[in-house]
Amino acid sequence: GREEPPLGLEAVVEEAAAAAAASAGFRLTAVRREPAVRLQHGASGLEPLAWSEDHRVSVSTARSIAVLEQLSDVHSGGQDMVIHRTAVPAPAAACMLKVGPKKEVAECKEKFASSVDPTVSQTFMLDRVFNPEGKSLTPMRGFKYSSWSPLGCDANGRCLLAALTMDNRLSIHANLNRLQWVQLVDLTELYGKRLLEAGYRLCKADTPCGELGDFPEFQRRHSMQAPVRMEWSGICTTQQVKHNNECRDVGSVLLAVLFENGNIAVWQFQLPFLGKESITSCNTIESGISSPSVLSWWEYEHNNRKMSGLIVGSAYGPVKIIPVNLKAVKGYFTLRQPVVLWQEMDQLPVHSIKCIPLYHPYQKCSCSLVVAARGPYVFWCLLLISKAGLNVHNSHVTGLHSLPIVSMTADKQNGTVYTCSSDGKVRQLIPIFTDVALKFEHQLIKLSEVFGCVRTHGIAVSPCGAYLAVITTEGMANGLHPVNKNYQVQFVTLKTFEEAAAQLLESSVQNLFRQVDLTDLVRWKILKDKHIPQFLQEALDKKIESCGSTYFWRFKLFLLRILYQSMQKAPSEVTWRPSHEDAKILISDSPGMGSTEDDQEEGTSKQASKQSLGDTGKGVDIDDTAEDSLHQSSDSGGREPMVEKLLEIQAQIEAVEMHLTREHMKRVLGEVYLHTWITENTSIPTRGVCDFLMSDDGYDDRTARVLIGHILKKMNKQTFPEHCSLCKEILPFTDRKQAVCSNGHIWLRCFLTYQSCQSLVYRRCLLHDSIARHPTPEDPEWIKRLLQGPCTFCDSPVF
């Protein structure tokens, strides 16, 4: 029953890795992050885990793609990670590839199944591409692979999800209302129609195809449209010619699809992607690689010239880059001929490829690091363009795992690579540049020390490198395998709070939503300690004084809101459960209490202001919180300091919110001044915004005063007031959040344009901070551009 020490190569490797890590001076302390999300079905496919740029984790399972969206919720006082869960269900009907007329295909299938030649009949019956429904075999259900597009591709400016089912259906999905996933297009069906129209030839010069009744031709038509992998490119710019022959820049994205026969279809989509009408073109490239297994984009920038290509790996071992000629794409160039990165047919299948753009500190230029998992080894290749041409350095990192690598992921911000095998061991590889090429320092992460004895099926690193998501099942107990497998997605921290805070302060992105994994680490720390660390407060105050960016003000608002939540007491009852208590008697109705109606209104407004900053749906007020949190302290003087502290934090929050509102108002007024000769019919309450900014005598901003002076001069004493749609009364601009007419009709204000939203349908930001109106066809382009902006308080997108 005693555990034996590890023997052989694995022990030597672990000791060497530990020594190297100690000598390099870095140690990674992995900490478990709750909660663990249990999957309803088992994980399926290769690389079943993927983490998008907008912080959604997709998990390929046997019945659906589970999507876990990470939120850094400022309105939640719980220390666990906040996860919003949705799912993309697998289609109910099996996907039948289009290889010819239905009647002829049915006849051919019957012919092959009953063939007297066993090489034909058995090959046909056992090939799941021909028989996705299974017949005597189990049906092909679930997903083989999923891939996230870059940020900014769907109608909400978020990521699209390309999903490949086990039965070779490739489709693109979008999550437009946060609750339901919608299939936008079925690319397998479209590509099958294209091949049918072209006679299953890539170009007219090809030889005519054979008869469908020939088994090799039947196989060829299936293999040329059975996807293996698909990957998205970065967003690029194309030129579109308008009706008046003017050119305008349009964003587009490419999706490369690798097929079983080695062909690559490159789809070009116009952004935002809305469906079939957004498809611009589809070109097919012959890679010349037999038994292709994996695909990745190579995007390289050198002297403001962008180069691109596709890295293709084979199940037999070779890896090479295929040139991609991008038509009508500005600033893109391609290779003249394929570049072979590894040519040996050594029977080590390429399982996963990651391409990481880095900066070479010795050559003083950008370079590309290509990393591929080949069996238990990691193959790496450094691509560098110099005056002599394209330089290629490659080698293998051996001795990482004793079992084949089942999953690999990379942090593209610093080039760190993570690999894992099924025995629950993860390796962290850090590239270190040398004069010639580079080397890797690596260390072992034993998940058994974090989760206990587990088996791993996939890993993915968060966009900013703060978390590692892992799919786990139970490991062996007392030398026995578990009877049942429970698949879970668990999270491990890869950074400390100090590292996350420093990265947020020095961020080049300057967007809190795009760094949710980092802000969640900061949120976790503040909720545990119930205070903001002094070094972070001081560093943030220095940034605010030295830099005029509103990003640091939003970061400060985030910290104050979390601090406010950390001092709240969790509700003693479940908030959604109805209470069965008797109706409470109002104070004014109770005997002996002579409170007036004005007093009641004043108390109600005070109570509402106390709850407006984070108690939405909680029903917790400050007095109760203070009393409960200081229950054990003395009655004299124990309750007042907590109330004063909460009121002080609340005042700071309101001050920061007001600063951010004023800065956005200045931006809106700047757009009004630039784009209108006279400010009528702009749907912007210009006069009200100007008066609101000038109403505070303590607000002395010379830029705002000069801008307002120019706008009032342009308006020439005209007001263009807003009117209530119910009673036609004027809506005064006295509050930045709502408008109340003289008859008491209340309309919420759009936080992007400050117009009153007088419709029943409006949009809301991800964290429910603000609301915004929908753009209308009458709106000019500059107003539509304003309405596409994120929340001014939390940077989250608006739905």
Side-chain angles (χ1 to χ4, degrees):
R2 189 176 69 243
E3 183 178 351
E4 295 293 331
L7 301 175
L9 178 63
E10 188 177 356
V12 176
V13 168
E14 291 183 10
E15 291 178 5
S23 63
F26 69 86
R27 293 298 300 167
L28 176 63
T29 304
V31 179
R32 182 173 184 164
R33 185 75 168 98
E34 296 292 348
V37 181
R38 183 169 177 175
L39 300 176
Q40 295 176 333
H41 305 284
S44 64
L46 299 173
E47 296 284 352
L49 209 57
W51 206 318
S52 71
E53 291 181 13
D54 59 354
H55 305 279
R56 291 184 283 189
V57 183
S58 63
V59 192
S60 301
T61 72
R63 291 293 182 272
S64 64
I65 294 180
V67 181
L68 314 175
E69 181 175 3
Q70 181 188 6
L71 300 176
S72 189
D73 194 355
V74 294
H75 307 303
S76 171
Q79 293 184 20
D80 288 355
M81 187 185 293
V82 181
I83 294 175
H84 180 255
R85 181 169 179 167
T86 51
V88 182
C95 175
M96 309 301 291
L97 300 179
K98 295 182 183 297
V99 294
K102 285 187 178 180
K103 185 177 179 181
E104 187 178 352
V105 170
E107 292 174 355
C108 289
K109 285 187 174 183
E110 187 176 349
K111 170 188 169 183
F112 298 143
S114 59
S115 174
V116 294
D117 185 356
T119 59
V120 174
S121 60
Q122 292 187 18
T123 303
F124 172 79
M125 294 299 292
L126 295 177
D127 195 315
R128 303 316 302 269
V129 178
F130 304 149
N131 298 294
E133 292 178 334
K135 304 295 183 182
S136 58
L137 304 172
T138 55
M140 296 287 285
R141 292 293 302 272
F143 287 85
K144 186 189 300 183
Y145 189 66
S146 64
S147 178
W148 290 99
S149 76
L151 195 63
C153 289
D154 74 352
N156 291 321
R158 303 192 71 186
C159 299
L160 297 166
L161 180 63
L164 177 61
T165 61
M166 285 289 190
D167 56 3
N168 299 302
R169 187 193 305 271
L170 174 59
S171 53
I172 298 178
H173 302 259
N175 181 210
L176 300 178
N177 60 6
R178 295 202 62 233
L179 296 177
Q180 182 181 9
W181 285 86
V182 179
Q183 178 179 304
L184 299 180
V185 67
D186 185 341
L187 292 181
T188 298
E189 182 181 358
L190 290 182
Y191 195 69
K193 289 180 179 178
R194 286 172 176 261
L195 289 177
L196 180 63
E197 293 170 0
Y200 298 95
R201 293 183 295 174
L202 295 182
C203 61
K204 295 180 180 179
D206 288 351
T207 57
C209 60
E211 294 295 329
L212 186 60
D214 298 334
F215 192 59
E217 175 65 19
F218 189 80
Q219 288 178 308
R220 187 186 76 88
R221 293 190 186 185
H222 277 88
S223 66
M224 70 189 304
Q225 53 182 314
V228 177
R229 289 282 180 100
M230 67 286 177
E231 294 294 342
W232 296 89
S233 73
I235 293 179
C236 49
T237 305
T238 57
Q239 283 193 335
Q240 188 181 62
V241 181
K242 299 169 71 174
H243 296 294
N244 56 359
N245 288 332
E246 289 183 2
C247 289
R248 72 183 185 108
D249 292 342
V250 177
S252 64
V253 69
L254 305 171
L255 179 67
V257 185
L258 177 65
F259 295 102
E260 281 189 355
N261 68 342
N263 291 347
I264 303 172
V266 180
W267 296 85
Q268 186 173 8
F269 305 129
Q270 183 177 319
L271 299 180
F273 183 76
L274 304 174
K276 193 182 298 184
E277 63 275 11
S278 300
I279 298 175
T280 306
S281 64
C282 177
N283 299 311
T284 303
I285 305 169
E286 295 186 56
S287 70
I289 285 187
S290 57
S291 296
S293 59
V294 69
L295 179 74
S296 180
W297 277 95
W298 175 62
E299 293 174 318
Y300 185 86
E301 188 168 352
H302 174 67
N303 291 340
N304 296 324
R305 293 176 57 150
K306 296 178 181 178
M307 301 190 70
S308 65
L310 285 164
I311 310 169
V312 184
S314 168
Y316 296 141
V319 181
K320 70 177 181 178
I321 302 179
I322 309 297
V324 179
N325 186 16
L326 303 179
K327 296 179 180 178
V329 178
K330 292 176 61 178
Y332 271 79
F333 300 86
T334 189
L335 300 168
R336 294 179 181 175
Q337 58 188 6
V339 176
V340 178
L341 305 182
W342 184 257
Q343 62 182 358
E344 299 296 331
M345 302 279 286
D346 48 18
Q347 305 300 316
L348 282 176
V350 184
H351 172 264
S352 177
I353 294 179
K354 303 295 178 186
C355 184
I356 310 163
L358 295 174
Y359 180 79
H360 202 299
Y362 297 103
Q363 302 292 337
K364 307 295 183 184
C365 65
S366 58
C367 60
S368 292
L369 174 62
V370 178
V371 185
R374 302 180 69 242
Y377 312 125
V378 169
F379 166 78
W380 64 266
C381 182
L382 186 66
L383 300 169
L384 184 69
I385 294 179
S386 64
K387 294 179 180 179
L390 181 64
N391 297 327
V392 179
H393 302 274
N394 60 20
S395 183
H396 280 79
V397 183
T398 60
L400 295 174
H401 298 277
S402 57
L403 295 174
I405 295 170
V406 297
S407 185
M408 182 174 70
T409 184
D411 180 0
K412 292 193 175 182
Q413 292 196 337
N414 56 17
T416 305
V417 178
Y418 299 89
T419 61
C420 87
S421 54
S422 60
D423 56 0
K425 293 177 181 176
V426 177
R427 286 279 179 183
Q428 181 193 43
L429 289 85
I430 300 177
I432 298 175
F433 284 96
T434 62
D435 293 334
V436 180
L438 56 81
K439 63 178 181 178
F440 284 95
E441 296 286 355
H442 51 84
Q443 65 172 314
L444 178 67
I445 306 173
K446 285 188 176 181
L447 296 181
S448 59
E449 297 177 356
V450 184
F451 305 128
C453 185
V454 292
R455 293 180 65 87
T456 47
H457 304 270
I459 58 173
V461 68
S462 63
C464 297
Y467 288 115
L468 185 74
V470 191
I471 301 178
T472 63
T473 54
E474 295 88 343
M476 294 180 67
N478 298 324
L480 299 175
H481 290 283
V483 177
N484 298 314
K485 284 186 179 180
N486 295 312
Y487 287 84
Q488 289 184 317
V489 179
Q490 308 205 58
F491 298 92
V492 174
T493 62
L494 298 176
K495 292 183 184 293
T496 62
F497 161 75
E498 290 76 15
E499 291 172 331
Q503 196 168 331
L504 285 166
L505 288 172
E506 301 299 328
S507 169
S508 59
V509 178
Q510 298 209 341
N511 184 293
L512 292 176
F513 171 72
R514 296 186 66 175
Q515 304 173 94
V516 162
D517 50 342
L518 297 175
T519 59
D520 186 72
L521 274 178
V522 174
R523 170 182 170 273
W524 188 24
K525 174 73 172 178
I526 295 175
L527 287 174
K528 283 196 298 184
D529 297 350
K530 299 188 182 302
H531 77 276
I532 302 172
Q534 189 67 27
F535 84 92
L536 180 56
Q537 279 187 330
E538 294 175 354
L540 187 56
D541 291 340
K542 288 181 181 178
K543 287 284 186 182
I544 289 175
E545 291 176 6
S546 61
C547 177
S549 173
T550 55
Y551 164 73
F552 298 108
W553 285 92
R554 291 194 297 274
F555 189 21
K556 182 177 182 178
L557 176 63
F558 169 80
L559 296 178
L560 289 171
R561 284 171 158 182
I562 299 303
L563 180 62
Y564 187 87
Q565 284 296 328
S566 70
M567 297 184 177
Q568 299 285 351
K569 175 186 172 292
S572 56
E573 294 183 358
V574 181
T575 53
W576 54 263
R577 183 176 297 157
S579 60
H580 300 287
E581 299 176 2
D582 295 336
K584 294 181 179 179
I585 302 172
L586 290 174
I587 296 177
S588 57
D589 296 337
S590 59
M593 298 296 291
S595 61
T596 63
E597 187 176 347
D598 293 337
D599 292 335
Q600 292 177 36
E601 290 180 0
E602 183 181 356
T604 304
S605 63
K606 286 181 181 179
Q607 183 68 25
S609 66
K610 290 177 183 178
Q611 294 191 7
S612 65
L613 292 162
D615 297 337
T616 307
K618 294 281 191 298
V620 183
D621 70 358
I622 296 176
D623 293 342
D624 291 343
T625 304
E627 186 174 355
D628 292 330
S629 60
L630 298 177
H631 178 70
Q632 296 178 354
S633 61
S634 60
D635 293 337
S636 59
R639 185 165 168 241
E640 290 302 325
M642 176 60 78
V643 176
E644 291 177 2
K645 180 68 174 176
L646 286 168
L647 292 175
E648 179 187 347
I649 297 172
Q650 186 174 349
Q652 293 177 9
I653 290 174
E654 290 174 352
V656 176
E657 284 185 350
M658 182 59 71
H659 175 84
L660 290 170
T661 300
R662 286 168 175 160
E663 290 299 310
H664 186 66
M665 282 182 172
K666 284 161 57 178
R667 184 191 167 206
V668 173
L669 292 178
E671 294 284 344
V672 169
Y673 181 73
L674 288 176
H675 292 96
T676 55
W677 173 246
I678 182 171
T679 55
E680 62 178 334
N681 300 326
T682 63
S683 74
I684 304 288
T686 309
R687 173 74 70 171
V689 173
C690 292
D691 293 343
F692 184 84
L693 280 176
M694 300 294 289
S695 61
D696 189 357
D697 297 333
Y699 178 62
D700 187 15
D701 188 328
R702 187 175 181 275
T703 305
R705 292 185 182 278
V706 170
L707 178 61
I708 290 172
H710 286 304
I711 289 177
L712 294 182
K713 185 177 179 181
K714 180 186 283 191
M715 291 182 71
N716 194 20
K717 297 183 180 180
Q718 299 180 78
T719 57
F720 308 115
E722 289 183 295
H723 293 274
C724 176
S725 61
L726 296 179
C727 62
K728 308 305 178 185
E729 291 293 326
I730 292 178
L731 287 173
F733 197 108
T734 55
D735 190 348
R736 67 182 191 270
K737 292 184 178 180
Q738 63 183 19
V740 185
C741 74
S742 57
N743 289 326
H745 299 133
I746 302 176
W747 304 103
L748 298 175
R749 287 202 175 274
C750 168
F751 74 97
L752 293 172
T753 63
Y754 298 105
Q755 185 199 21
S756 58
C757 297
Q758 299 195 42
S759 64
L760 297 178
V761 181
Y762 52 81
R763 300 179 299 149
R764 201 168 187 179
C765 83
L766 187 66
L767 297 184
H768 293 179
D769 264 335
S770 312
I771 68 115
R773 71 178 181 89
H774 284 275
T776 61
E778 298 80 24
D779 288 333
E781 288 298 321
W782 62 273
I783 287 186
K784 291 180 180 178
R785 200 165 54 246
L786 274 176
L787 290 171
Q788 290 174 353
C791 178
T792 53
F793 296 142
C794 61
D795 284 332
S796 64
V798 185
F799 296 91

